[in-house]
Amino acid sequence: MTIFQRPTLFHAAILAAMALPAAAQTPAAQSDFPTEDRVRFVLLCMEANGRSPENLRRCSCKIDEIGALISYDDYVAGETVLRMQQVPGERAAMYRGAGMLSATVDKLRSADAEAELVCF
């Protein structure tokens, strides 16, 4: 029996969320964030906060709020800087010490914090 033959509560929650009519979506859900990146964010968020229907709603809300606050390009730039700051060695040193990149990270962190307050 495969995973697709054994639906779980998690799968049911995802299917229910996908069944929402387009008219019921918020303006944030219609932003320029690609679906693949939204799903990746929600899955990682749920991995960190627990796999439950409630966290599916909260994590989906959070990426929608972030999308309403900043552009996708700003999101990608901020995430890239944050990830590169975690890489050890000289190749990533410019990301750790560059003051000009702090505005990019600050914009993402601010949107993330605001979304956290709204959704969690």
Side-chain angles (χ1 to χ4, degrees):
M1 188 178 277
T2 69
I3 190 169
F4 299 108
Q5 294 170 327
R6 294 179 304 190
T8 64
L9 182 61
F10 177 70
H11 293 108
I14 291 206
L15 291 173
M18 291 171 58
L20 289 175
Q25 294 181 355
T26 64
Q30 299 167 4
S31 73
D32 62 343
F33 281 54
T35 302
E36 181 179 338
D37 289 340
R38 286 179 177 275
V39 171
R40 182 179 298 116
F41 180 95
V42 170
L43 291 175
L44 290 172
C45 176
M46 290 180 70
E47 197 66 36
N49 295 294
R51 290 186 172 199
S52 69
E54 181 64 20
N55 282 330
L56 172 64
R57 185 195 61 74
R58 288 177 175 166
C59 293
S60 297
C61 170
K62 187 171 179 179
I63 192 61
D64 288 346
E65 288 296 320
I66 291 171
L69 296 168
I70 61 174
S71 71
Y72 178 68
D73 289 340
D74 288 339
Y75 173 79
V76 170
E79 282 289 317
T80 300
V81 172
L82 287 173
R83 285 190 181 138
M84 291 304 294
Q85 287 175 345
Q86 302 301 315
V87 175
E90 288 183 34
R91 293 185 128 177
M94 66 183 225
Y95 289 95
R96 289 188 290 275
M100 65 184 185
L101 298 176
S102 65
T104 303
V105 172
D106 290 346
K107 187 182 270 191
L108 176 60
R109 285 185 175 151
S110 175
D112 185 70
E114 191 170 330
E116 184 83 15
L117 290 173
V118 170
C119 301
F120 282 85

